[in-house]
Amino acid sequence: MTQTSSVDRARLLELIKELAVVRGKVTLSSGAEADYYIDLRRVTLHHEASRLVGRVMLQMLDEAGIDFATAGGLTMGADPVGTAVMHAATDAGREIDAFVVRKAQKSYGMGRQVEGPDVKGRPVVVLEDTSTTGGSALTAVEGVRNAGGDVRAVAVIVDRDTGAKERIEKEAGVPYLFAFGKDELGLD
């Protein structure tokens, strides 16, 4: 890890703790209850943090040796993450596209489930802001595979350590990477 990337990572962690961690009883999208909520849209849509998200995620994927040409995931949590990775790659002189996966295929227009530049035959990374059960990421993996994309990994900003990694690796058969664990956020 370079000095710049460790500074980026430290600042992003600071911003996640400051902006995204909300304490109190909440019901998660999975239906599970938690004593805290990690609202990463407060980070991924933040003027400073979004740039850091792109750089940190790109660095993590590079360090893991994941080769990919396009990145995205299930709308809406993954949308700004994919865009951030795309912009970070462009800033680094790389050509990585972003895409969006709808929850269901459209019944009108072109009838696509995966929007953006075509993923067919391309190496893909499925992104998510955070994952509890892995359900959203798995829906995105299925959509991308149905569209002909070659899913190489699933990558999230924050892992809640609630089984998503194990489920995704088993069911999708790809590595699951995360930039931060809940322990780094002081949530253990």
Side-chain angles (χ1 to χ4, degrees), residues 113-137:
Q113 184 178 7
V114 180
E115 299 289 354
D118 201 355
V119 298
K120 186 174 184 173
R122 299 176 76 191
V124 172
V125 168
V126 168
L127 301 170
E128 189 61 66
D129 53 6
T130 187
S131 194
T132 304
T133 65
S136 294

Side-chain angles (χ1 to χ4, degrees), residues 21-134:
V21 177
V22 181
R23 298 192 187 270
K25 281 269 187 236
V26 292
T27 302
L28 305 172
S29 63
S30 64
E33 285 199 356
D35 294 328
Y36 62 90
Y37 183 69
I38 305 169
D39 186 356
L40 284 167
R41 282 176 292 277
R42 294 179 181 192
V43 169
T44 60
L45 297 169
H46 182 269
H47 66 279
E48 177 188 1
S50 65
R51 296 181 67 84
L52 297 170
V53 165
R55 292 196 302 252
V56 167
M57 295 297 283
L58 187 61
Q59 178 77 28
M60 176 185 70
L61 289 159
D62 286 348
E63 287 176 359
I66 306 297
D67 176 44
F68 65 104
T70 185
L74 195 66
T75 198
M76 142 166 196
D79 298 353
V81 185
T83 303
V85 169
M86 177 182 67
H87 287 301
T90 300
D91 290 347
R94 295 167 62 185
E95 296 178 359
I96 294 176
D97 292 325
F99 63 86
V100 174
V101 180
R102 295 174 180 274
K103 291 181 181 174
Q105 188 170 343
K106 286 178 18 180
S107 60
Y108 56 91
M110 295 180 64
R112 297 174 69 182
Q113 184 178 7
V114 180
E115 299 289 354
D118 201 355
V119 298
K120 186 174 184 173
R122 299 176 76 191
V124 172
V125 168
V126 168
L127 301 170
E128 189 61 66
D129 53 6
T130 187
S131 194
T132 304
T133 65

